């Protein structure tokens, strides 16, 4: 249930957040014009730290407690589900009310909560302005509440969704009609009700504590009617100077706070600032209209690629930060550097059309080769091409550092994971050498004393590196105008991610060495979180010591663009539609019929092996669009040899190698892979020899290679290139994988070559 709830929560979170940001831009709906300046930088920074890094992951962990029956009041009494959900919503909201009051009443708790109140304006971003310590405290208490009462999953999920929407709405800079607001606030916390709570008057701040329902404030005497509120300013009596608004300064506020602090030197005037941004010029409106048309045309043929990217963002924790990439780009262009952006005069041109054509060709090649990262890169490059066609070379080149942030939306695990795994192994080897620990390194298998470790993908620290790099580049854009300085800061941030992952992995090894036993994998979570906060701590210490470079870019004033140039973004989109659409039409082939249930012409004997499996048949894997055949032969020595044959059912399906050396009942991990060359009858072909390790001293030797037609290779890239050619020429051949698993010592290579030749020949002749 938690895995199903998390994507829904993220959709509600970001869609509500984005919609309210757009509504706040409509002048007739605003409570008053709110200047953004540097406060959005701070609020978005806190959102990244406490929201993405903390709340989402801890939210899943908290929700997981509610998945299974836990000892508590509700779990020990039969209560109808509807009543359970109602009681859960009311109970949790009542607790949120009292928790909020405790944060105001208790001096130590107020230290961390005051960060939420130090915002000198009030809009939807204020809803996520929380110090990370407050998030952790609240989550820990909520976990205890779930355990104590045995709160059901459905009730907790509903409350979290409702509370998120209400929190965003109650903080939004929106002016709800008084007649409608008066009706709503009898039950729900509205923007007018919660605005009172953010007043700098203590009598008003210490009231209206409710999170969702106002009934608790009315019941416990803390309700302040908006009709009677004054609200001279939003924020506090202190921490309201311009020097107090920076992210690092805000993170330090709990330490800097002193009881009785007052700063009387606050600027006079109402909390609403009347200044408004300049309206878009005619050239900007025309350029944006053309750019929008180009994006729509691109979306017509690349929507599936965009959906793939979004799915990876949702399912891979290393790229969940990517949900913030587009909002941050929009924020930087429209608000942080809004005046600077509008000062440029867009000059649409056809360089973007050339770039769009090149990017579309890259997409076609990547699609033929089944390389996801290539298709995703091409998609982002096409967005850049439309931007270039919309703005013209001069304006685009000046704004390129911001547009380059879109490249962080590309999931590149296939490229980064092997490099980071290797770096992790090297760090272990270096640490063991410095600490004089007895060790042996064999591929990704590490032996420290009597303990054996396998450096799997989860040990690579990809999440630390991607998050640190994204944060570094984002804040580099806020600090610098130079692309090279920003890139340098990004490289340094990524290095901090690698460094803290090395600290995490080697800390586990050191603790195991001191204790004399290996800790369970479930206990690694605490060390993982400490490493994550170490990464963020080092990063923000670094950022706090950097001097900003606020050098403004020189805008270009030019003549109005000609009509034919204004159509450049549209032509860019049309080029993408033409190239990508044509390739999709040319490579479209009917899917091959599955062999499931067909009679098999499996050889009964091979070089003294006797077929020992009964009822062997092809098994279809609908999820991965492929079919597989498992055979078991018995050797003369009595040992079984497992043979796995996998073949795709469609041209777009992939052949991957997960778990070819193990099964789901045991934790097998690939420790080392080497390339071998075997020859039979003057014909040589490469194959891969992988050593898989299980629990204890168990190991398996797996020999496998890929092929299509008569072509055999040990490289997935070569296989995809050959497959792409077959797709382009319409041969209809499908890739295959043949793997032989030996559960004991490695056999002679000529024995492996003979078996591979037999099965490749049978597949080629389509005998099974």
């Amino acid at each position: 249930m938690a895995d199903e709830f998390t994507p829904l929560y993220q959709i509600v979170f970001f869609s509500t957040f984005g919609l309210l940001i757009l509504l706040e831009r409509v002048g007739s709906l605003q409570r008053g014009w709110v200047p953004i300046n540097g406060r959005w930088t701070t609020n978005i920074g806190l959102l990244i730290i406490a929201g993405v890094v903390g709340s989402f992951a801890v939210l899943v962990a908290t929700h997981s407690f509610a998945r299974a029956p836990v000892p508590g009041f509700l779990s020990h009494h039969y209560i109808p589900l509807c009543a359970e959900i109602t009681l859960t919503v009311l109970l949790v909201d009542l607790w949120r009310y009292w928790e909020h009051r405790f944060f105001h009443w208790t001096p130590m708790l107020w230290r961390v909560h005051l960060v939420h109140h130090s915002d000198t304006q009030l809009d939807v971003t204020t809803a996520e302005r929380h110090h990370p310590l407050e998030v952790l405290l609240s989550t820990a208490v909520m976990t205890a509440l779930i355990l104590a009462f045995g709160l059901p999953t459905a009730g907790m999920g509903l409350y979290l969704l409702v509370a998120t929407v209400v929190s965003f709405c109650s903080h939004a800079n929106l002016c709800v009609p008084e007649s409608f607001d008066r009706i709503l606030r009898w039950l729900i916390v509205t923007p007018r009700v919660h605005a009172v709570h953010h007043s700098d008057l203590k009598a008003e701040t210490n009231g209206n504590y409710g999170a969702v329902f106002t009934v608790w404030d009315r019941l416990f005497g803390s309700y302040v009617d908006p009709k009677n509120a004054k609200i001279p300013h939003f924020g506090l009596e202190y921490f309201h100077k311009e020097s107090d608004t920076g992210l690092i300064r805000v993170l330090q506020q709990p330490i800097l706070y002193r009881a009785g602090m007052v700063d009387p030197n606050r600027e006079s005037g109402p909390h609403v600032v009347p200044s408004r941004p300049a309206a878009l010029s005619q050239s900007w409106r025309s350029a944006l209209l053309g750019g929008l048309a180009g994006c729509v045309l691109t979306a017509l043929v690349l929507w599936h690629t965009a959906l793939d990217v979004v799915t990876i963002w949702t399912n891979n924790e290393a790229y969940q930060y990517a949900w913030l990439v587009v909002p941050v780009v929009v924020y930087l262009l429209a608000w942080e550097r809004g005046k600077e952006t509008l000062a440029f005069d867009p000059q649409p041109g056809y360089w973007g059309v050339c770039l769009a054509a090149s990017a579309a060709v890259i997409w076609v090649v990547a699609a033929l080769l089944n390389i996801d990262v290539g298709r995703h890169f091409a998609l982002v490059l096409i967005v850049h091409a439309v931007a270039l066609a919309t703005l013209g070379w001069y304006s685009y080149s000046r704004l390129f550092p911001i547009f380059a942030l879109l490249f962080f939306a590309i999931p590149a695990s296939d490229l980064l994971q092997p490099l980071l795994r290797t770096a992790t192994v090297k760090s272990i080897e270096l640490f063991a050498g410095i600490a004089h620990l007895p060790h042996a390194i064999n591929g990704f298998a590490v032996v420290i004393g009597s303990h054996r470790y396998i450096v799997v993908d989860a040990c690579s620290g990809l999440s630390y590196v991607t998050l640190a790099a994204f944060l570094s580049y984002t804040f580099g854009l806020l600090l610098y105008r130079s692309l090279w300085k920003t890139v340098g800061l990004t490289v340094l941030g990524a290095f901090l991610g690698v460094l803290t992952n090395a600290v995490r992995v080697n800390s586990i090894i050191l603790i195991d060495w001191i204790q004399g036993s290996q800790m369970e994998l479930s206990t690694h979570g605490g060390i993982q979180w400490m490493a994550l906060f170490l990464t963020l701590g080092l990063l923000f210490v670094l950022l706090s010591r950097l001097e900003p470079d606020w050098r403004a870019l020189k805008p270009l004033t030019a003549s109005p663009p000609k009509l034919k140039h204004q159509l450049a973004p549209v032509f860019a989109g049309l080029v993408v539609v033409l190239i990508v659409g044509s390739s999709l039409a040319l490579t479209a082939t009917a899917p091959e019929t599955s062999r499931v249930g067909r009679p098999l012409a499996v050889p009964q004997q091979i070089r003294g092996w006797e077929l020992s499996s009964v009822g062997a048949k092809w098994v279809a894997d609908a999820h991965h669009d492929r079919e597989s055949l498992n055979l078991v032969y018995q050797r003369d020595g009595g040992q079984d040899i497992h043979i796995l044959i996998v073949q795709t059912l469609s041209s777009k399906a992939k052949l991957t190698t997960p778990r070819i050396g193990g099964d789901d009942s045991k934790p097998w991990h690939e420790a080392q892979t080497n390339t071998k060359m075997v020859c039979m009858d003057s014909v040589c072909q490469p194959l891969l020899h992988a050593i898989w390790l299980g629990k204890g001293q168990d190991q398996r030797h797996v020999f496998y290679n890929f092929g299509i037609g008569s072509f055999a290779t040990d490289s997935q890239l070569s296989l995809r290139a050959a497959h792409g050619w077959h797709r382009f020429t319409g041969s209809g051949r499908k890739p295959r994988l043949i793997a032989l698993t030996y559960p004991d010592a490695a056999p002679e290579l000529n024995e492996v070559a003979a078996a591979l030749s037999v099965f490749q020949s049978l597949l080629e002749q389509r005998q099974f």
Side-chain angles (χ1 to χ4, degrees):
M1 285 292 295
D3 294 336
E4 298 171 3
F5 171 77
T6 305
L8 175 61
Y9 181 85
Q10 292 177 340
I11 291 172
V12 171
F13 183 97
F14 288 109
S15 60
T16 305
F17 188 75
L19 176 61
L20 289 173
I21 284 180
L22 294 177
L23 292 177
E24 286 181 336
R25 300 305 103 198
V26 180
S28 60
L29 299 179
Q30 295 173 344
R31 179 195 305 114
W33 174 248
V34 173
I36 293 171
N37 45 56
R39 53 180 293 276
W40 263 36
T41 305
T42 297
N43 291 354
I44 290 177
L46 291 173
L47 167 65
I48 294 171
I49 299 170
V52 176
V53 177
S55 297
F56 277 23
V58 179
L59 171 66
V60 175
T62 303
H63 194 71
S64 298
F65 282 108
R67 293 178 60 188
V70 292
F73 175 78
L74 294 181
S75 60
H76 286 162
H77 295 78
Y78 174 74
I79 302 175
L81 180 60
C82 183
E84 264 194 343
I85 294 175
T86 303
L87 285 173
T88 299
V89 171
L90 293 175
L91 178 63
V92 175
D93 197 58
L94 174 61
W95 170 251
R96 292 283 300 277
Y97 167 83
W98 281 107
E99 178 189 62
H100 197 171
R101 289 195 73 162
F102 287 140
F103 270 109
H104 278 256
W105 287 357
T106 309
M108 288 302 296
L109 295 178
W110 173 246
R111 282 181 176 271
V112 294
H113 184 62
L114 66 84
V115 169
H116 182 65
H117 284 269
S118 64
D119 199 350
T120 56
Q121 298 294 337
L122 193 63
D123 61 17
V124 66
T125 66
T126 311
E128 289 303 308
R129 182 189 173 98
H130 295 285
H131 198 278
L133 291 177
E134 181 181 358
V135 174
L136 293 177
L137 288 172
S138 297
T139 304
V141 174
M142 184 63 69
T143 302
L145 189 70
I146 294 172
L147 293 173
F149 287 90
L151 301 180
T153 301
M156 282 300 303
L158 177 62
Y159 179 79
L160 290 171
L161 290 174
V162 172
T164 298
V165 174
V166 172
S167 176
F168 282 148
C169 292
S170 62
H171 288 87
N173 178 31
L174 297 176
C175 184
V176 180
E178 172 61 24
S179 57
F180 184 55
D181 188 271
R182 190 185 311 114
I183 297 173
L184 280 180
R185 65 183 182 235
W186 275 104
L187 180 64
I188 303 294
V189 176
T190 64
R192 290 177 186 268
V193 170
H194 199 68
V196 176
H197 183 70
H198 280 265
S199 170
D200 65 346
L201 295 179
K202 288 185 178 180
E204 295 177 349
T205 301
N206 294 330
N208 295 359
Y209 297 106
V212 175
F213 302 114
T214 58
V215 63
W216 313 120
D217 284 295
R218 299 178 189 276
L219 185 61
F220 297 110
S222 57
Y223 183 73
V224 179
D225 197 313
K227 294 187 301 183
N228 303 323
K230 298 179 180 178
I231 317 181
H233 299 90
F234 287 133
L236 301 169
E237 301 171 272
Y238 40 88
F239 293 142
H240 51 65
K241 295 180 178 179
E242 185 177 354
S243 58
D244 296 322
T245 60
L247 177 60
I248 303 302
R249 184 73 169 182
V250 168
L251 290 171
Q252 295 173 337
Q253 284 178 1
I255 302 172
L256 299 174
Y257 169 74
R258 298 293 182 270
M261 285 183 67
V262 175
D263 187 351
N265 299 321
R266 184 161 189 170
E267 297 83 357
S268 60
H271 55 268
V272 175
V273 179
S275 60
R276 295 182 180 274
L280 289 175
S281 64
Q282 179 60 43
S283 59
W284 266 108
R285 287 197 292 268
S286 300
L288 292 178
L289 185 61
L292 178 61
C295 290
V296 170
L297 289 170
T298 299
L300 291 176
V301 291
L302 294 179
W303 65 269
H304 197 274
T305 302
L307 184 61
D308 287 343
V309 174
V310 171
T311 302
I312 296 174
W313 294 352
T314 302
N315 298 328
N316 191 333
E317 66 176 9
Y319 292 100
Q320 287 188 350
Y321 73 85
W323 286 99
L324 292 173
V325 169
V326 173
V328 170
V329 170
V330 173
Y331 160 67
L332 290 171
L333 290 173
W335 286 281
E336 178 69 19
R337 301 189 189 176
K339 293 182 179 179
E340 194 172 294
T341 303
L342 292 177
F344 290 107
D345 189 8
Q347 295 290 311
Y350 290 99
W351 282 110
V353 178
C354 299
L355 181 60
S358 302
V361 171
I362 293 174
W363 188 95
V364 171
V365 173
L368 287 173
L369 300 184
N370 257 342
I371 301 177
D372 289 340
V373 68
R375 294 187 299 113
H376 301 160
F377 171 78
L379 174 64
V380 173
L381 197 60
I382 288 171
V383 175
H384 277 256
V386 174
L388 174 58
T390 302
L391 300 175
W393 174 253
Y394 182 87
S395 299
Y396 169 80
S397 64
R398 282 359 183 226
L399 299 174
F400 173 77
I402 298 177
F403 285 112
L405 189 63
L406 294 172
F407 289 112
F408 283 89
I410 302 173
S413 301
D414 292 345
L415 299 177
L416 297 177
Q417 207 102 53
L419 297 175
L420 294 177
R421 284 181 69 192
T422 302
T424 302
V425 172
K426 294 297 183 182
S427 73
I428 295 174
E429 186 176 14
L430 178 62
F431 171 75
I434 294 175
H436 300 291
L437 300 179
H439 64 281
I441 309 292
N442 188 7
F444 293 110
V446 179
V447 177
I448 304 292
S450 60
H451 301 154
R452 185 173 69 177
Y453 302 89
I454 308 296
V455 180
V456 296
D457 287 346
C459 304
S460 66
L462 180 63
S463 300
Y464 306 138
V465 174
T466 54
L467 181 61
F470 169 68
L471 290 173
S472 300
Y473 193 87
T474 300
F475 287 104
L477 291 174
L478 297 172
L479 289 170
Y480 302 126
R481 293 296 186 266
S482 169
L483 176 61
W484 298 114
K485 289 183 179 180
T486 303
V487 170
L489 181 60
T490 305
V491 172
L492 186 56
F495 173 75
L496 291 178
V498 174
L499 179 63
T500 50
N501 180 64
V503 171
R504 172 182 73 106
V505 172
N506 287 292
S507 296
I508 294 172
I509 291 175
L510 182 59
I511 293 172
D512 287 348
W513 176 263
I514 294 173
Q515 292 181 343
S517 62
Q518 288 184 257
M519 66 177 72
E520 296 292 332
L521 290 176
S522 58
T523 61
H524 290 186
I527 298 177
Q528 181 175 346
W529 279 106
M530 285 190 289
L532 181 58
F533 284 109
L534 176 61
T535 303
L536 296 173
L538 291 175
L539 181 60
F540 285 108
V541 168
L542 171 66
L543 291 172
S544 65
R545 297 181 177 276
L546 297 177
E547 292 294 332
D549 174 15
W550 298 113
R551 176 175 50 87
L553 297 177
K554 183 181 296 184
L556 174 69
T557 302
S559 58
K562 298 179 181 179
L563 178 60
K564 62 178 182 179
H565 292 163
Q566 289 181 344
L567 296 177
V570 179
F571 288 141
L574 288 173
V575 165
V576 173
V577 171
L578 179 63
I579 296 176
V580 174
S582 299
S583 71
L584 292 175
L586 289 173
T587 58
T589 57
E592 185 175 310
T593 305
S594 172
R595 284 183 286 259
V596 175
R598 292 186 183 181
L600 300 177
V602 179
Q604 299 296 312
Q605 188 174 18
I606 301 178
R607 292 179 62 87
W609 308 351
E610 295 290 341
L611 181 65
S612 59
S613 60
V614 180
K617 64 178 182 179
W618 291 94
V619 177
D621 184 351
H623 181 67
H624 293 96
D625 203 9
R626 62 194 182 198
E627 57 185 357
S628 61
L629 174 66
N630 283 280
L631 302 171
V632 180
Y633 284 84
Q634 190 176 61
R635 278 194 294 180
D636 295 337
Q639 292 289 334
D640 287 342
I641 300 172
H642 295 261
I643 298 177
L644 172 67
I645 303 174
V646 183
Q647 191 156 330
T648 60
L649 293 175
S650 72
S651 60
K652 295 182 180 179
K654 292 183 179 181
L655 283 178
T656 54
T657 60
R659 314 222 49 90
I660 61 172
D663 50 55
D664 294 333
S665 61
K666 292 183 179 181
W668 293 91
H669 300 287
E670 186 176 3
Q672 185 179 11
T673 301
N674 296 311
T675 300
K676 305 287 186 181
M677 184 66 70
V678 295
C679 299
M680 288 290 294
D681 300 328
S682 302
V683 177
C684 297
Q685 60 176 286
L687 58 84
L688 294 165
H689 174 205
I691 301 176
W692 286 65
L693 302 180
K695 193 172 183 180
Q697 300 301 317
D698 294 343
Q699 70 175 13
R700 291 177 174 178
H701 292 266
V702 184
F703 296 85
Y704 65 98
N705 66 9
F706 309 95
I708 183 169
S710 59
F711 175 72
T713 180
D714 61 342
S715 167
Q716 289 198 43
L717 182 60
S718 298
L719 174 71
R720 292 176 181 179
H723 184 204
W725 175 254
H726 281 279
R727 289 176 63 191
F728 185 75
T729 57
S731 69
R733 294 183 180 273
K734 304 298 188 295
R736 66 171 182 268
L737 176 147
I738 301 178
L740 283 71
T741 301
Y742 295 79
D744 48 11
E748 296 292 333
L749 287 180
N750 61 345
E751 179 181 303
V752 177
L756 284 174
S757 298
V758 169
F759 289 106
Q760 287 172 358
S761 175
L762 290 172
L763 272 176
E764 192 63 25
Q765 298 170 21
R766 300 184 181 275
Q767 293 189 25
F768 62 84

